[in-house]
Amino acid sequence: MTDLHVTLAERRQEFEGHLAFATALDRRLIEGDTISIGEMALSARHLLTIKSGLVVHLYNIVEATMTKVIDEIGKEVLAIPPSQWSHITVKEWLRHHAAIGVDGNEHTRLEVVHEAALKLLAREPIEDSKFKKPSGTWSDRVILEFARRLGVNFPLNAQIAPRIQPSPKYRDMTPLEFLADRRNAIAHGRRTFENGASDLVLSDIAELASVTLDYLALAVTAFEGYIVQKQFRATDA
């Protein structure tokens, strides 16, 4: 198991532990048990907050995993000189520089391009190799677009493809789009932590987590293949 898969497995185990705690609390509350921490009695309102926390936690796994993927690709690309990069790699490396926010002044834009050109010509050291994610919150569509830009082979297998399709239960979004949308609603205050997941039972969150993490594992395999096979290199390098 590679480092990316190990990290994802650890995060999945951590999430499943929190989900198990929420499930046990839910069961005790349904049975009418009184559960207290010191002088505070836990109630359904606390469970609602925990469910929202699970949604945010699940999205954080997606974001952290893709951030690590980008970092790992950057480290591998940085290990070879720019003269050996493929045309696609050069283009995507330049995309990061093209997106750097500068004043609309011609001189400042020229400075950004000039700095990038000097690095590609190996006249200045490249201290880090950054690649820009597509705009938007991470979802399966954003992950797939990032893979497409880099030229990563990322086929969906017969097991995951039907599970990742838009569905009425996810408001006609894919599971990961629904997760991203709900996380944003909670994080940006459109939904409070008490009502952030009030329409979801824990089995819904468990199902959402299952498809999300299975998809993420498939994505990690695809990006690792890209790294191991050094597909960021020019074919004649």
Side-chain angles (χ1 to χ4, degrees):
M1 187 180 289
T2 59
D3 186 47
L4 283 170
H5 272 294
V6 168
T7 301
L8 178 58
E10 290 173 348
R11 289 179 176 274
R12 184 169 198 158
Q13 185 177 31
E14 180 185 35
F15 178 86
E16 289 173 348
H18 294 164
L19 179 62
F21 167 75
T23 301
L25 175 60
D26 186 39
R27 187 180 303 114
R28 293 282 299 274
L29 290 172
I30 290 174
E31 292 171 354
D33 294 345
T34 300
I35 310 168
S36 300
I37 299 178
E39 297 181 355
M40 177 182 291
L42 298 184
S43 68
R45 292 183 64 184
H46 296 105
L47 182 61
L48 288 172
T49 300
I50 290 172
K51 289 198 297 183
S52 290
L54 287 171
V55 170
V56 174
H57 183 178
L58 182 59
Y59 176 78
N60 285 350
I61 295 175
V62 177
E63 184 172 59
T65 299
M66 290 309 302
T67 298
K68 188 171 179 61
V69 164
I70 292 175
D71 289 345
E72 290 299 317
I73 292 173
K75 285 192 293 186
E76 292 296 323
V77 169
L78 192 60
I80 64 173
S83 59
Q84 295 182 18
W85 295 359
S86 70
H87 290 306
I88 291 176
T89 303
V90 172
K91 180 180 179 181
E92 290 309 308
W93 183 81
L94 284 171
R95 189 189 296 274
H96 167 74
H97 288 269
I100 293 175
V102 295
D103 296 334
N105 178 295
E106 179 182 346
H107 176 73
T108 52
R109 292 200 304 271
L110 176 61
E111 284 298 311
V112 171
V113 174
H114 186 229
E115 180 185 359
L118 288 177
K119 290 180 178 180
L120 288 176
L121 293 170
R123 294 181 182 175
E124 287 188 6
I126 299 179
E127 297 176 352
D128 55 38
S129 185
K130 296 180 180 179
F131 292 90
K132 184 180 182 299
K133 70 177 283 291
S135 59
T137 309
W138 284 112
S139 69
D140 55 299
R141 296 184 194 274
V142 174
I143 292 171
L144 196 60
E145 172 63 14
F146 183 62
R148 185 194 64 77
R149 285 181 179 179
L150 289 174
V152 176
N153 182 30
F154 184 12
L156 293 179
N157 60 39
Q159 289 73 40
I160 199 69
R163 299 169 62 200
I164 207 68
Q165 297 302 310
S167 169
K169 73 178 177 181
Y170 295 125
R171 295 169 47 203
D172 295 324
M173 292 183 277
T174 68
L176 272 81
E177 285 177 324
F178 174 82
L179 173 64
D181 180 74
R182 186 57 62 93
R183 173 265 182 189
N184 285 344
I186 296 169
H188 300 154
R190 296 197 305 274
R191 281 176 172 261
T192 67
F193 263 81
E194 277 198 20
N195 70 19
S198 57
D199 56 337
L200 303 173
V201 296
L202 286 172
S203 59
D204 294 330
I205 296 175
E207 182 180 355
L208 180 62
S210 176
V211 64
T212 296
L213 297 173
D214 287 350
Y215 177 87
L216 209 50
L218 194 65
V220 164
T221 297
F223 284 107
E224 283 189 332
Y226 171 84
I227 292 170
V228 171
Q229 296 168 27
K230 299 188 182 299
Q231 294 173 359
F232 45 83
R233 296 184 65 166
T235 53
D236 57 350

